[in-house]
Amino acid sequence: MMKRQTIVQWLFVLLVLSFCTWIFFEIAGHFNQAEIRHFDLPIISFVQGNISGRLTSVMLAVTFLGSVKGAAAVTLFLSLVLWIKKYRTLSLYLAVSVALGAGVFNTILKYIFKRQRPDIMRVVQETGYSFPSGHSMGSMILYGCLVLILFRIAKRRWVKVAGTLFALLLVLAIGISRIYLGVHYPSDVAGGYAAGLVWVILSALALNLFERKLKL
């Protein structure tokens, strides 16, 4: 029989998956409706109400960490470190999860929903579709996978807690930077977070299944 702790863990995973999936499709199905506009516009007004030259420089640096180049550089570097440190399975897990999730899956979703980018006040120019935010989804996948890896290999609890908090703050900052720069709606960012978290959970389950098969 399954232990009570295991059952609780599975219920929690299913609850998070269900909630994130519901959030994603609630946003995707109501782009042009009042409730989404009422969610987006006050946040845009607040975030872009603080635009300044110095803050823009900070936001450009932060947003780079969620860009294709930034995420690819972090993924490649840390995958190589994990490989050298003999964490070969985790190295492949990180590389494949980010490449397929932040790259392929996000592109597919953008072309399915084809939401146009905001036309309010753009600090920088971007092309392509808006939903879900690739930076937000990609950063959630990359840094979410890194948190999972950290919990696998770190021995000290404070390292796990500090790493998790840092990842959460960084992912949040990247999402805010996309709103600040005027290239995404807040609902794009929320949708990216939701889709990214779903991908992290599913990829973690796939990793566990793969490791179990290796042991057979």
Side-chain angles (χ1 to χ4, degrees), residues 60-120:
L60 288 172
V62 169
T63 208
F64 176 76
L65 295 174
S67 68
V68 173
K69 291 181 180 179
V74 172
T75 302
L76 179 60
F77 174 74
L78 293 179
S79 294
L80 287 173
V81 171
L82 289 168
W83 188 271
I84 293 170
K85 294 292 185 179
K86 307 300 183 182
Y87 296 109
R88 302 290 169 80
T89 301
L90 293 178
S91 174
L92 293 173
Y93 159 72
L94 178 63
V96 172
S97 294
V98 174
L100 292 181
V104 177
F105 188 42
N106 180 260
T107 301
I108 291 172
L109 290 176
K110 283 182 179 290
Y111 276 93
I112 288 174
F113 297 103
K114 296 183 178 179
R115 188 185 195 185
Q116 299 301 317
R117 291 186 183 271
D119 56 359
I120 301 175

Side-chain angles (χ1 to χ4, degrees), residues 31-195:
F31 285 153
N32 299 313
Q33 296 188 14
E35 57 264 38
I36 297 297
R37 290 196 297 272
H38 291 161
F39 172 77
D40 283 336
L41 296 180
I43 297 176
I44 292 173
S45 178
F46 174 77
V47 173
Q48 290 201 320
N50 296 287
I51 288 177
S52 68
R54 181 175 297 178
L55 187 55
T56 297
S57 298
V58 172
M59 288 297 179
L60 288 172
V62 169
T63 208
F64 176 76
L65 295 174
S67 68
V68 173
K69 291 181 180 179
V74 172
T75 302
L76 179 60
F77 174 74
L78 293 179
S79 294
L80 287 173
V81 171
L82 289 168
W83 188 271
I84 293 170
K85 294 292 185 179
K86 307 300 183 182
Y87 296 109
R88 302 290 169 80
T89 301
L90 293 178
S91 174
L92 293 173
Y93 159 72
L94 178 63
V96 172
S97 294
V98 174
L100 292 181
V104 177
F105 188 42
N106 180 260
T107 301
I108 291 172
L109 290 176
K110 283 182 179 290
Y111 276 93
I112 288 174
F113 297 103
K114 296 183 178 179
R115 188 185 195 185
Q116 299 301 317
R117 291 186 183 271
D119 56 359
I120 301 175
M121 183 188 348
R122 292 195 187 179
V123 180
V124 297
Q125 293 298 317
E126 290 276 6
T127 58
Y129 295 117
S130 187
F131 179 85
S133 164
H135 281 64
S136 302
M137 183 174 170
S139 63
M140 177 64 78
I141 292 172
L142 170 57
Y143 299 106
C145 289
L146 288 176
V147 167
L148 184 146
I149 292 170
L150 184 65
F151 269 75
R152 290 287 197 93
I153 65 178
K155 296 180 180 179
R156 298 186 178 183
R157 185 175 181 181
W158 73 265
V159 175
K160 298 177 182 180
V161 173
T164 301
L165 290 175
F166 176 77
L168 287 173
L169 290 174
L170 182 56
V171 170
L172 179 61
I174 290 170
I176 291 173
S177 75
R178 304 309 286 166
I179 301 168
Y180 176 95
L181 296 172
V183 292
H184 279 297
Y185 295 102
S187 52
D188 295 331
V189 172
Y193 287 158

